[in-house]
Amino acid sequence: MPVVTFLSDFGLRDEFVGICHAVIVQICPDAQVIHLSHGIEPQAIDQGALALAAAIRYTPPGVHLAVVDPGVGSERRALVLESGDGRRFVGPDNGLLLPATDACGGVARAVEITSERYMLTPVSRTFHGRDVFSPVAGHLAAGVDPAALGPQVDPAGLVRRLRPGHTLTGSLLAATVLEVDRFGNIRLSVTPGDLGELFQPGRTVEVDPGTGSRYYALCARTFADVDPGEFVVFEDASGFVSVAVNRGDAAKLIDVEHGRRVQIEFAPSFAWA
Amino acid sequence: MPVVTFLSDFGLRDEFVGICHAVIVQICPDAQVIHLSHGIEPQAIDQGALALAAAIRYTPPGVHLAVVDPGVGSERRALVLESGDGRRFVGPDNGLLLPATDACGGVARAVEITSERYMLTPVSRTFHGRDVFSPVAGHLAAGVDPAALGPQVDPAGLVRRLRPGHTLTGSLLAATVLEVDRFGNIRLSVTPGDLGELFQPGRTVEVDPGTGSRYYALCARTFADVDPGEFVVFEDASGFVSVAVNRGDAAKLIDVEHGRRVQIEFAPSFAWA
Amino acid sequence: MPVVTFLSDFGLRDEFVGICHAVIVQICPDAQVIHLSHGIEPQAIDQGALALAAAIRYTPPGVHLAVVDPGVGSERRALVLESGDGRRFVGPDNGLLLPATDACGGVARAVEITSERYMLTPVSRTFHGRDVFSPVAGHLAAGVDPAALGPQVDPAGLVRRLRPGHTLTGSLLAATVLEVDRFGNIRLSVTPGDLGELFQPGRTVEVDPGTGSRYYALCARTFADVDPGEFVVFEDASGFVSVAVNRGDAAKLIDVEHGRRVQIEFAPSFAWA
């Protein structure tokens, strides 16, 4: 059974996801659709790109449909990207697909979807998920060659988004909140590797979320290394530096959300631990 | 693999949807269950009917289970409706199924579900989704003839709900908000066809949501036709007149929700555009 | 197609559920994954255990994956429990699995998962759902014997949680809110059987949610037995005593939530009915 993974910002309140799923199955009846996430914030391309990149190496190779598409109805292109390892990514040309494609051997082939033969016509101006991307995903799963969908395009010309970075000034890190997950864990735009020897399990650090309050945390391997209710700075399951509270919700406690700039002082002048 | 689509107001917080899915698969192991939406507001029959009707033509023909059932445990009937094109709709007799059935060739046959042989017994008084509708959907998917489920009933006697309409007084439209989707797009109870020449892309119109404020909008083909943050009145992907904000949340901005009456003046005496 | 049911507190906002689903399918391509619920409150073991126990008898026998795991990264064990009727439950040793296993003939065999051969390595310290439990569920679905996963352990030594009980003082019941569902129905930690002759349909009772207000309710067979907007005390679809409002949201009206202690006087000195 060919696998189609599907990620979007459609949410699960409306019937959008169900319609797209149905369109895929109507074209490729034996497709196995795996819903990676539809909880991406509306139009949050970076969040969608991050989630897709985090998930992709756990999925069976197949067709990977992703729709976070604030530019629908404008001139932005619709794409199929074939990665170095043979996966096919389907979605808008807005940077959503590239971090995941990069993680799968880069873009081996890029095709702009132009052939109406593989769309539902007339194509609506606001729901290309239904009329363009899902039918193309279905046709790819059913064996259609990407070359049939439209002209090949230069991978160098694809829209690419800058990921937020970090700055390190002595022992002071400034990084951006990439994501707050359901448990309130705060993922920062930095990896332990970026921090070198500063990131040492056992060290007490000081977290400044820019709200006027500061919090001591233990740099550790996991939140179970501190007592319930205490803060921890650790490498999360996707390899990023994260701030959490053992058995608690760190984001609620320190009142930060996606996009906020957070500072961590790795050598505080005073610490209780 | 027989397809069973499933729509409900059960939400995804509790285990209700999972139980129903399991019941279907236990009866028909090769059923392919497509979840159309479970985000219908609790007991919102009209919203469920609208979502089902919007989705149905994108689904493969099969069994179409829908449960929004405020009357569970009362004398309301449980139904299987066979549409003109051979689909089987399963759900309560409260108007939920008819708009979708109408879109599929009308009711060719209506059967009241009475045979306990195809239910899970003892049937609970509050969860017919689990004990009546899901098992029946499973049995239909497995090939049971609707005639086995109970007596045929007169389609003319089915409960039918009036859909909210619109009024047009000169160039002043009054319509009801049928739905606000996740993106804040506001769907009105009117189609461009109902408006004839009033609905002209390029025209500036005035939206009065009844909150004391008024908003100018561009009548256009899609929200990408206006600048980010600007209002647009357009035909949405399901054929209704909708109000949106490009890259924004119109419903939040103008503070309307499902059920509200909204006026649009198509020939405002003054406009900036 | 082997069935894998999956319940967690991961929510559907992040990509966690999608990743786990993908891991299972990558190991066992013909697995049919049924999502029972991912809306369990974060780290709410008791709520997860209750939902799994309520759902299990409606699912086809198979592999039953459940992850509500506040102790991930600590020394808590990872388990496969084989029930008397041959199902395999996979999850943490924190009491989550036992009520469901008890409902399926008890624990016939308990195995601690220790073999890295059936995990994704290196195993992260915070996402055993992805790296331990999902791959094990996939391997079990693909036919691996539980004995291959690690040493057998004594079922008597498994972590077991006490379920909240009730007290009955004359005709005064005190019970705990086990769950508030999407419809606002309030499930209490007591069954009609526990109440004997006190629980008589037709009787008016007085509900004291401990908020300073009291509410009269009809003891009845279902909420359709009272007028819209009126309170009812009834046996819910899982066999518990519940408080509801016909066509309304009881939990919102009387302002209670999960964990609250509620009193019901079955012989009020005064009643309107």
Side-chain angles (χ1 to χ4, degrees), chain A residues 200-218:
Chain A
Q200 282 181 20
R203 166 174 279 186
T204 296
V205 303
E206 193 181 344
V207 179
D208 176 357
T211 58
S213 300
R214 295 178 180 207
Y215 304 84
Y216 286 101
L218 186 71

Side-chain angles (χ1 to χ4, degrees), chain B residues 55-95:
Chain B
I56 196 69
R57 75 185 187 93
Y58 299 98
T59 69
V63 176
H64 305 285
L65 169 64
V67 188
V68 180
D69 191 17
V72 62
S74 69
E75 294 302 304
R76 73 95 187 87
R77 297 183 294 189
L79 295 178
V80 173
L81 303 185
E82 194 169 82
S83 59
D85 67 358
R87 297 170 184 261
R88 273 87 184 257
F89 294 84
V90 181
D93 181 19
N94 62 14

Side-chain angles (χ1 to χ4, degrees), chain B residues 181-200:
Chain B
D181 73 16
R182 186 191 199 210
F183 299 93
N185 299 330
I186 302 163
R187 172 176 292 174
L188 300 178
S189 61
V190 64
T191 68
D194 295 328
L195 298 173
E197 298 198 349
L198 283 179
F199 190 85
Q200 283 181 21

Side-chain angles (χ1 to χ4, degrees), chain A residues 104-124:
Chain A
C104 296
V107 179
R109 177 161 59 147
V111 169
E112 182 181 357
I113 302 166
T114 58
S115 170
E116 290 215 338
R117 182 172 164 196
Y118 299 101
M119 302 178 189
L120 299 190
T121 53
V123 172
S124 73

Side-chain angles (χ1 to χ4, degrees), chain B residues 2 6 14 30 37 46 52 56 64 121 123 126 160 165 172 215 226 229 242 248 270:
Chain B
F6 183 16
D14 306 302
D30 61 341
S37 170
D46 289 327
L52 185 62
I56 196 69
H64 305 285
T121 51
V123 173
T126 53
R160 187 174 277 278
L172 181 67
Y215 304 84
V226 299
S242 283
F270 168 77

